[in-house]
Amino acid sequence: MATELAGKWKLDHSTKTFDDYLVKLGVGFVKRNLAKATTNVVQTITIDGDKITISMTSPVSSKETTFIVGQAVEEKTLHGEKVQTTIRWEGDKLIAESTECKQPLINTRHIEDGMMVNTLTVADVSCQRFYKRAN
């Protein structure tokens, strides 16, 4: 397990394919542009054994979900779709895979060069968002 993921992380930057990712999700023009312009995004990750809580806050939305590794949890995505999400560890990567949705969703988090790299994939489109540890 990669307990170094635990903590508070502030968005530093996203790859150019973030817009492509949002389009593939079906996010409309106005919400896409708002999402791309919002830089004050914070993820807080708490790890207690197999119990992992991930909260995401921004000026436009907030969400908190508690997972048990290997068990499906019903949640609503930030774009409003109800899905079943299961998390698992693959080495030092925390992978959340959502099913029962329009398109397969995979959300991977790991540490690289002191930053948390959050790779978001919907169907055949991926983007990365890079977070710095917040104090």
Side-chain angles (χ1 to χ4, degrees):
M1 273 191 290
T3 55
E4 63 267 13
L5 279 172
K8 190 173 185 178
W9 300 90
K10 186 175 184 317
L11 180 65
D12 184 67
H13 66 281
S14 301
T15 57
K16 291 180 182 178
T17 55
F18 184 53
D19 186 62
D20 298 333
Y21 170 80
L22 295 172
V23 168
K24 191 74 171 187
L25 277 178
V27 177
F29 178 78
V30 173
K31 286 186 179 181
R32 268 197 337 268
N33 285 314
L34 183 60
K36 291 186 300 184
T38 303
T39 57
N40 191 19
V41 178
V42 175
Q43 286 193 43
T44 304
I45 301 172
T46 306
I47 301 173
D48 182 12
D50 281 348
K51 181 180 173 183
I52 300 172
T53 300
I54 301 172
S55 66
M56 182 179 296
T57 58
S58 77
V60 294
S61 67
S62 64
K63 174 185 170 185
E64 180 174 292
T65 307
T66 298
F67 300 94
I68 304 295
V69 174
Q71 294 181 17
V73 171
E74 184 176 282
E75 66 171 336
K76 199 172 194 179
T77 64
L78 291 172
H79 65 283
E81 186 176 8
K82 197 180 281 189
V83 298
Q84 291 288 321
T85 302
T86 304
I87 62 167
R88 69 182 185 279
W89 290 104
E90 279 189 15
D92 64 347
K93 293 181 179 182
L94 181 62
I95 300 172
E97 196 163 357
S98 299
T99 59
E100 297 185 20
C101 45
K102 294 176 191 168
Q103 302 178 79
L105 302 172
I106 300 173
N107 185 330
T108 302
R109 294 172 176 88
H110 72 280
I111 304 298
E112 187 176 305
D113 297 327
M115 297 185 86
M116 180 179 69
V117 180
N118 190 188
T119 303
L120 306 166
T121 304
V122 58
D124 60 345
V125 177
S126 291
C127 71
Q128 290 184 315
R129 303 193 89 191
F130 297 83
Y131 292 78
K132 289 185 177 179
R133 192 171 291 279
N135 295 331

